[in-house]
Amino acid sequence: MVLATNLGFPRIGLKRELKSALEAYWSGKQTVEQLQQTAKELRARHWRLQKDAGLDHIPSNDFSFYDHVLDTILLTGAVPAAYGKNTDLHTYFSMARGHQTTCCGGHVHAASDKPTDVPALEMTKWFDTNYHYIVPVFDANQSFRLASTKPIDEFLEAKALGITTRPVILGPVSFLSLGKRRDHGSTLELLPQLLPVYTQLLEKLAAAGAEWVQIDEPVLVLDKNLATQEALRQAYLALSRASARPKILLATYFGSLYPNASVAYNLPVDALHIDLVRAPEQLDSALEAISDKSILSLGVIDGRNIWRTDLDKAQKLLQHAISELGPDRVWVGPSCSLLHSPIDLAAETKLDDELKSWLAFATQKLGEIATLTKALRGEKGETEKAIAAARTAQEARRASKRIHNQAIKQRVKSITPDQTERRSTYANRREQQAKRLDLPGLPTTTIGSFPQTPEVRVARAEWRSGKKSTAEYEKFLEDQTKQVIRWQEEIGLDVLVHGEFERNDMVEYFGEQLEGFTFTSNGWVQSYGSRCVKPPVIFGDVARKGPMTVRWSKFAQSLTPQPVKGMLTGPVTILQWSFVRDDQPRSETCRQIALAIRDEVVDLETAGIAAIQIDEPAIREGLPLVEAARPDYLKWAVECFRISAAGVRDETQIHTHMCYSEFNDIITAIAAMDADVISIETARSQMELLDAFVNFKYPNEIGPGVYDIHSPRVPTTEEMKKLIQLAAKLLPVEHIWVNPDCGLKTRAWPETKTALINLVAAAKELRAQYNLSEGKAKLVTAKAA
């Protein structure tokens, strides 16, 4: 019989209960017992939801307090020595966020018997998603042990509720592949030491009564790598020989198995999951290659987007599989974990009925899985009605006049090559910008946002609800902007920012002022830890309604003779961090966004803004997972950035920002973007991420981050000096900027102020050491076009 399955469910809760509980615990307002109780309630709610939806296989151990890779670090005892020998929550969160016993005026954050001052482990993007994972760090002689019983505990917790689950664990080969070794050796060499831990875990799960276990090996969709393939063979041969073990579902997602199909279909596992949303073309080869006894789990529901599934199309794929394998060897599921989807469309009471009828969130996707499964079992009645309703919604969406705007489409078709080119070379632009900005060596700046305090959030909420008038709200924002401009001047920052107090989110703020976007009230997804984002929905053609940021940038610049950066989110990042329409190529939508941002850039320059930052932290995130697909993506992604930036004069300085990514495989594309200054995240990696720029001999200016803003830990002036000195050994010192890793929106003011004062002090001390100029950082009036 065909079974309905799921690979994972969102952790955060419909009302972001996990976020609230975590932040209360971190601030000392909740006990660990209260935090654990919230987690237990969320797990029970989500298991019951999936059971009630009609799923046959329900995942457990998909819950995490911060990140599932971090969970695996703790599970396998791979905790770096600096964090101590304990595997408790204190150690767990210290690895995620760093730990400092005293900071911000001597406030005590933890008991003195814990590690007193450790930075957070490095964080980077989970494959091509906006989810961030904590990067494991291994020693050459790394030892492993089963240091946690979390997968077993949560299986038993569900069992006590009368729900038999399928525990989910990150596979040993993917776990090692996602990490790094301190000596830069191959992490896969550690596999023989790691496998006994996985074998022991499987045996304990079997003893607890688990019939199935889901082992995720997403590395199987990456390019062919002989060492990885051999590691997979070695790993699953060893696990298949466990004295007692559950049946193994090997889960792959985010792409096709094609690069590694010869290995995947011959591994000794009991079931294999493939992603037919990203790679529907792989079904026929899977049906031909899968072993005679294995089950094929088919991901036909999109786990990463929010559009309603074409159930007729999905049903045809599934019926084809059943005709080849029989109903007992086919499972129906999502393409990947539903972690990347909002929880429940029913909570969206403000969306209009037409748009709402086009969408499906995680809860609705469970319903789609169940509907398809029932249809394949021959159930009719309500099942037929559900499929007919989905068909009607698909047809209505295709026919809707809200989607298409011919004037926007024509503007994209009319883009010419000169619209992607700055007027002069970087060398000439740099000379003109130096005259206009008059900056010192090692110029200091921030990435854009300052802390969004409760006061700021309350004021915005009161304005949106009508409790505060527009005039009152704008007066509040002006006061906040004045304060932050004055404070930046006082501490000696060179290039200022206005603080972005008017913005709720770096993508949603722009989407609200663009045609073709709509917004949810509760469409939250986890980015990392307690950090949640609410991606806009791009349903139609995109164009700017009018100036979006000019009013606040112009106001801030009027307050100071120092340059104030205009702050924009770039077209690729707006695309990547939205739920994007699936009825036209992503490149077409991105070009539409690029033209809208171009218009804003030109208006900022006209308003007297001399430096404009176009953030593109998602450029690397959007890179296809296989090499063959990358050139086309990079071509249009770079083109879109250049369209957005190329409308200004030479003396206007264009910045961009990227974070939490590896840059080696896109460094040529980064150079082709031709930004005058790029700021990047490098603090957690101790400047390791600069290697790509050094080896490439990147010609333009770089701001390597010296302050990890995703941790509450405050770096000292000496720490920042050491990072700048590391950068100066790798790059021409006259090309280096000094800045944090990212925006400061999520930080509190006390730590922010201390850290930025330290940052300015570090830059000033090193200017003297390197005998660099002390510019005035005062604007010189720009020439007319």
Side-chain angles (χ1 to χ4, degrees):
M1 182 174 69
V2 179
L3 297 183
T5 186
N6 185 23
L7 301 189
F9 197 78
R11 309 156 180 162
I12 58 175
L14 182 60
K15 298 180 180 179
R16 292 182 291 164
E17 293 94 329
L18 181 59
K19 172 186 175 65
S20 299
L22 283 170
E23 293 175 357
Y25 171 70
W26 292 335
S27 65
K29 296 175 183 176
Q30 270 196 14
T31 65
V32 66
E33 291 79 16
Q34 290 172 307
L35 175 63
Q36 293 282 15
Q37 182 60 31
T38 298
K40 186 175 182 179
E41 291 169 0
L42 286 171
R43 290 192 293 266
R45 183 197 305 168
H46 297 157
W47 288 328
R48 289 190 180 107
L49 179 67
Q50 292 172 85
K51 182 179 181 180
D52 292 345
L55 265 64
D56 301 295
H57 280 200
I58 297 168
S60 61
N61 198 46
D62 53 338
F63 176 85
S64 175
F65 278 119
Y66 203 94
D67 163 49
H68 57 278
V69 183
L70 180 59
D71 292 353
T72 311
I73 294 172
L74 208 69
L75 176 72
T76 60
V79 177
Y83 299 91
K85 297 181 180 179
N86 293 329
T87 54
D88 57 10
L89 270 181
H90 176 82
T91 302
Y92 179 87
F93 289 130
S94 293
M95 289 190 287
R97 308 175 70 240
H99 176 73
Q100 203 165 32
T101 301
T102 60
C103 71
C104 306
H107 176 67
V108 177
H109 287 281
S112 59
D113 61 337
K114 301 293 185 181
T116 57
D117 193 359
V118 287
L121 289 177
E122 187 179 343
M123 185 166 67
T124 195
K125 297 292 181 72
W126 174 251
F127 293 84
D128 57 351
T129 75
N130 189 30
Y131 177 83
H132 300 65
Y133 74 91
I134 299 296
V135 179
V137 180
F138 307 114
D139 293 318
N141 60 347
Q142 182 73 47
S143 62
F144 299 96
R145 63 187 177 90
L146 187 60
S148 166
T149 56
K150 179 179 180 292
I152 304 154
D153 296 342
E154 294 184 11
F155 172 80
L156 293 172
E157 187 180 308
K159 192 174 181 181
L161 297 172
I163 302 172
T164 300
T165 59
R166 184 181 67 209
V168 180
I169 55 177
L170 179 61
V173 178
S174 292
F175 175 55
L176 291 175
S177 299
L178 292 168
K180 57 177 62 175
R181 268 174 52 170
R182 295 184 195 280
D183 65 350
H184 304 290
S186 169
T187 56
L188 293 178
E189 292 175 357
L190 304 173
L191 186 63
Q193 296 96 290
L194 179 62
L195 286 177
V197 176
Y198 274 79
T199 299
Q200 185 182 3
L201 175 60
L202 293 185
E203 291 171 350
K204 286 184 176 291
L205 285 169
E211 181 183 357
W212 282 90
V213 63
Q214 174 183 319
I215 305 182
D216 288 1
E217 290 285 10
V219 292
L220 274 163
V221 304
L222 302 181
D223 279 318
K224 181 177 180 179
N225 180 290
L226 294 179
T228 301
Q229 291 186 344
E230 181 54 36
L232 287 160
R233 292 189 191 97
Q234 179 185 349
Y236 288 89
L237 181 61
L239 296 182
S240 71
R241 292 174 174 171
S243 60
R245 65 167 177 84
K247 295 176 184 177
I248 296 174
L249 165 65
L250 183 65
T252 69
Y253 38 79
F254 299 157
S256 172
L257 280 177
Y258 171 73
N260 299 291
S262 62
V263 174
Y265 293 117
N266 289 291
L267 294 175
V269 296
D270 304 282
L272 180 68
H273 179 85
I274 60 174
D275 183 343
L276 292 187
V277 173
R278 279 288 185 91
E281 72 281 355
Q282 67 178 321
L283 177 58
D284 285 334
S285 59
L287 295 173
E288 183 177 337
I290 196 164
S291 68
D292 292 339
K293 296 181 180 179
S294 292
I295 292 167
L296 194 58
S297 174
L298 300 177
V300 294
I301 306 297
D302 193 343
R304 292 182 55 175
N305 213 331
I306 45 73
W307 302 105
R308 200 165 179 170
T309 302
D310 184 336
L311 295 183
D312 290 319
K313 181 178 178 182
Q315 190 173 6
K316 286 179 182 178
L317 288 174
L318 294 164
Q319 287 171 333
H320 176 46
I322 290 171
S323 70
E324 296 293 324
L325 302 180
D328 293 339
R329 294 178 58 204
V330 174
W331 292 351
V332 182
S335 59
C336 60
S337 169
L338 299 179
L339 170 69
H340 311 286
S341 174
I343 292 179
D344 193 354
L345 185 62
E348 299 303 324
T349 58
K350 296 180 181 179
L351 278 178
D352 68 74
D353 290 342
E354 182 184 28
L355 273 169
K356 199 171 179 179
S357 72
W358 301 345
L359 308 179
F361 291 0
T363 301
Q364 288 69 42
K365 291 176 188 293
L366 298 177
E368 291 180 326
I369 293 167
T371 294
L372 285 169
T373 304
K374 290 174 184 177
L376 295 167
R377 291 172 181 169
E379 298 182 26
K380 297 184 179 180
E382 293 302 316
T383 301
E384 289 178 323
K385 289 180 182 178
I387 292 175
R391 185 182 306 122
T392 299
Q394 292 280 333
E395 292 169 352
R397 181 182 165 207
R398 282 191 289 268
S400 175
K401 295 180 179 180
R402 300 171 69 176
I403 292 176
H404 302 291
N405 183 318
Q406 293 305 317
I408 296 171
K409 294 181 188 298
Q410 185 56 47
R411 189 180 181 199
V412 170
K413 288 180 181 178
S414 301
I415 294 172
T416 58
D418 65 288
Q419 288 179 287
T420 68
E421 300 286 343
R422 295 289 297 271
R423 302 180 188 184
S424 301
T425 63
Y426 166 70
N428 184 58
R429 300 198 308 264
R430 186 169 190 260
E431 183 178 341
Q432 293 189 51
Q433 291 161 17
K435 291 177 181 177
R436 185 177 184 192
L437 297 173
D438 193 21
L439 297 174
L442 296 175
T444 56
T445 191
T446 64
I447 303 305
S449 60
F450 272 96
Q452 291 259 326
T453 62
E455 183 184 14
V456 171
R457 293 195 295 271
V458 167
R460 183 183 303 122
E462 289 180 344
W463 171 66
R464 287 185 181 275
S465 68
K467 292 181 180 179
K468 191 184 288 288
S469 69
T470 297
E472 291 172 324
Y473 181 54
E474 292 195 349
K475 176 63 166 59
F476 170 83
L477 293 176
E478 287 179 352
D479 290 343
Q480 295 290 310
T481 304
K482 287 177 184 177
Q483 290 172 25
V484 83
I485 290 291
R486 294 290 171 258
W487 183 76
Q488 291 174 88
E489 289 177 324
E490 288 170 9
I491 69 166
L493 281 166
D494 299 307
V495 176
L496 314 185
V497 297
H498 77 282
E500 303 182 14
F501 301 109
E502 77 284 4
R503 304 185 189 184
N504 49 0
D505 175 82
M506 66 181 290
V507 175
E508 185 173 345
Y509 176 79
F510 290 93
E512 288 175 339
Q513 302 178 79
L514 294 169
E515 295 177 15
F517 280 74
T518 193
F519 308 91
T520 64
S521 300
N522 297 286
W524 298 99
V525 294
Q526 185 182 28
S527 181
Y528 60 87
S530 68
R531 170 69 171 153
C532 302
V533 295
K534 189 157 57 69
V537 178
I538 305 177
F539 68 86
D541 289 329
V542 178
R544 192 179 70 144
K545 299 174 184 176
M548 300 181 286
T549 66
V550 174
R551 187 255 195 265
W552 293 107
S553 292
K554 187 176 181 179
F555 173 75
Q557 186 63 80
S558 73
L559 301 173
T560 178
Q562 292 181 233
V564 177
K565 281 191 292 187
M567 301 301 306
L568 304 173
T569 303
V572 180
T573 297
I574 291 177
L575 182 87
Q576 286 294 128
W577 291 358
S578 299
F579 290 122
V580 183
R581 60 189 293 189
D582 57 359
D583 62 335
Q584 72 176 15
R586 291 171 70 87
S587 57
E588 179 75 7
T589 303
C590 198
R591 289 186 180 95
Q592 293 176 357
I593 301 170
L595 288 169
I597 299 300
R598 179 189 180 93
D599 293 343
E600 188 72 11
V601 169
V602 170
D603 281 354
L604 283 169
E605 181 185 59
T606 301
I609 305 302
I612 302 169
Q613 183 170 308
I614 308 171
D615 286 344
E616 283 291 17
I619 283 268
R620 175 61 179 79
E621 174 188 314
L623 190 70
L625 298 177
V626 292
E627 183 68 36
R630 291 176 178 177
D632 179 64
Y633 163 75
L634 290 173
K635 181 180 179 181
W636 63 255
V638 170
E639 176 193 318
C640 287
F641 179 85
R642 292 175 69 116
I643 289 169
S644 70
V648 296
R649 298 185 296 269
D650 290 344
E651 61 264 34
T652 299
Q653 190 173 72
I654 296 293
H655 292 235
T656 192
H657 170 66
M658 298 181 185
C659 57
Y660 297 99
S661 298
E662 299 286 343
F663 301 113
N664 287 289
D665 45 7
I666 63 165
I667 188 62
T668 302
I670 292 173
M673 290 166 66
D674 199 27
D676 299 305
V677 183
I678 180 173
S679 57
I680 60 172
E681 171 269 323
T682 52
R684 284 197 181 192
S685 72
Q686 295 292 298
M687 295 291 159
E688 184 180 302
L689 293 177
L690 273 183
D691 289 349
F693 294 85
V694 175
N695 297 335
F696 181 76
K697 294 183 171 54
Y698 185 76
N700 301 11
E701 296 179 29
I702 305 178
V706 297
Y707 165 26
D708 174 17
I709 67 87
H710 291 92
S711 167
R713 183 180 175 277
V714 176
T716 65
T717 298
E718 286 303 313
E719 286 179 77
M720 294 192 199
K721 282 175 63 178
K722 287 178 182 178
L723 288 175
I724 298 167
Q725 287 167 331
L726 276 175
K729 290 179 181 179
L730 302 170
L731 302 167
V733 70
E734 62 271 15
H735 282 203
I736 297 174
W737 285 60
V738 179
N739 46 258
D741 272 344
C742 205
L744 297 160
K745 173 184 175 180
T746 61
R747 298 269 53 92
W749 267 113
E751 66 205 55
T752 296
K753 288 185 175 182
T754 305
L756 290 182
I757 288 168
N758 291 350
L759 180 149
V760 171
K764 287 184 175 180
E765 290 178 26
L766 289 176
R767 279 176 201 154
Q769 179 178 319
Y770 291 120
N771 197 28
L772 298 173
S773 66
E774 288 284 351
K776 297 178 182 178
K778 298 291 190 293
L779 279 177
V780 176
T781 303
K783 297 176 182 178

